[in-house]
Amino acid sequence: DLVRPILEGRAQIVVGERPIMQMADFSLTKRMLQRLGSAVVKFVSATDVPDAPSGFRAISREAAFQLCVFSKYTYTLETLIQAGRKNLPIASVPVRVNRVVRPSRLVRSLPSYVLQSLLTIFRIFVLYKPLRFFLLMGTVFLLPGMTLGVRFVFAYAEGEGAGHVQSLILAAILIVMAVIVYAAGLIADLIAANRMLLEEIRMRQLRNEVNAGLRITP
């Protein structure tokens, strides 16, 4: 069931969807966090995977060539975000689950898992959409700076500029910070473009090595 979508050419990655809402071993808080985490991954990766943290997966060889896991914590969220950004077709199939007989080696505590997952999502989003991220961050500084600047201009026009010098200084600082963040975004975007070329080279190298190994192996 898991590999069928790949064999039929309908997907390159298949995720086993657990019946989260029916799992007695999952507390209500854990169920809600799982659904929230899956919704965040859907938004960031532009995919539609109901159970993003599920590690029961099938991955085609071609998809494996293109995925590059940076996180040392878990591959589940990162590979989905990468696959979505690379437009790899993804499918989900319902799976059953066994009774939990031991504590998870990955989830030491629920707060730790949530924090690590958020950091992974944030890191991959910045990695693949740096310009958008830095534009948003720069705008956070620019809008207050422009607001304070306009406020000072109106106060100056009314002859009360001397009493609003602090606003002018703060506005200048915020606008300069916004410009710096925008510049960092442009540099990060250029680096991201270079990284995409490196990933393409890596993918072709892996493909050639695997194909060469298959020709040698009886």
Side-chain angles (χ1 to χ4, degrees):
D1 291 340
L2 194 68
V3 301
R4 184 175 294 116
I6 295 178
L7 298 179
E8 294 177 351
R10 294 186 287 111
Q12 293 195 36
I13 298 177
V14 186
V15 181
E17 179 186 351
R18 300 165 295 175
I20 297 296
M21 304 309 293
Q22 286 77 44
M23 292 174 61
D25 298 308
F26 273 37
S27 65
L28 179 61
T29 301
K30 194 171 183 179
R31 294 175 189 176
M32 294 299 103
L33 288 174
Q34 189 276 342
R35 298 193 67 172
L36 177 61
S38 295
V40 172
V41 173
K42 284 183 183 180
F43 173 76
V44 175
S45 64
T47 61
D48 187 18
V49 179
D51 189 8
S54 173
F56 188 54
R57 301 182 177 186
I59 303 176
S60 71
R61 180 186 301 171
E62 189 61 29
F65 286 149
Q66 301 183 48
L67 298 177
C68 184
V69 178
F70 297 95
S71 173
K72 295 182 179 180
Y73 185 70
T74 176
Y75 67 91
T76 55
L77 306 180
E78 184 172 355
T79 49
L80 284 181
I81 296 173
Q82 288 190 21
R85 295 305 174 189
K86 295 176 182 292
N87 295 318
L88 296 176
I90 305 173
S92 295
V93 296
V95 296
R96 298 187 303 272
V97 294
N98 297 326
R99 183 175 59 87
V100 177
V101 295
R102 61 167 177 79
S104 172
R105 291 189 292 266
L106 177 66
V107 183
R108 303 295 182 181
S109 66
L110 196 55
S112 173
Y113 178 75
V114 171
L115 177 61
Q116 291 289 344
S117 299
L118 290 176
L119 289 176
T120 298
I121 294 172
F122 173 78
R123 182 183 181 187
I124 297 302
F125 179 74
V126 175
L127 194 66
Y128 279 88
K129 293 293 182 181
L131 186 59
R132 179 184 299 180
F133 171 77
F134 283 102
L135 285 178
L136 291 174
M137 290 297 296
T139 304
V140 170
F141 294 109
L142 182 64
L143 290 180
M146 295 294 293
T147 302
L148 290 174
V150 171
R151 177 173 176 265
F152 175 80
V153 170
F154 278 105
Y156 183 81
E158 295 176 356
E160 300 177 359
H164 295 82
V165 176
Q166 298 88 343
S167 297
L168 179 62
I169 296 174
L170 182 57
I173 293 174
L174 291 174
I175 292 174
V176 169
M177 290 178 65
V179 172
I180 293 174
V181 173
Y182 287 151
L186 291 175
I187 296 174
D189 192 57
L190 294 175
I191 295 175
N194 185 61
R195 190 196 66 254
M196 292 176 63
L197 294 176
L198 292 176
E199 288 182 356
E200 179 72 18
I201 294 172
R202 173 184 173 275
M203 180 188 68
R204 296 190 180 196
Q205 182 180 6
L206 287 174
R207 186 186 291 124
N208 291 336
E209 290 177 356
V210 170
N211 290 339
L214 291 176
R215 286 194 296 268
I216 295 173
T217 304

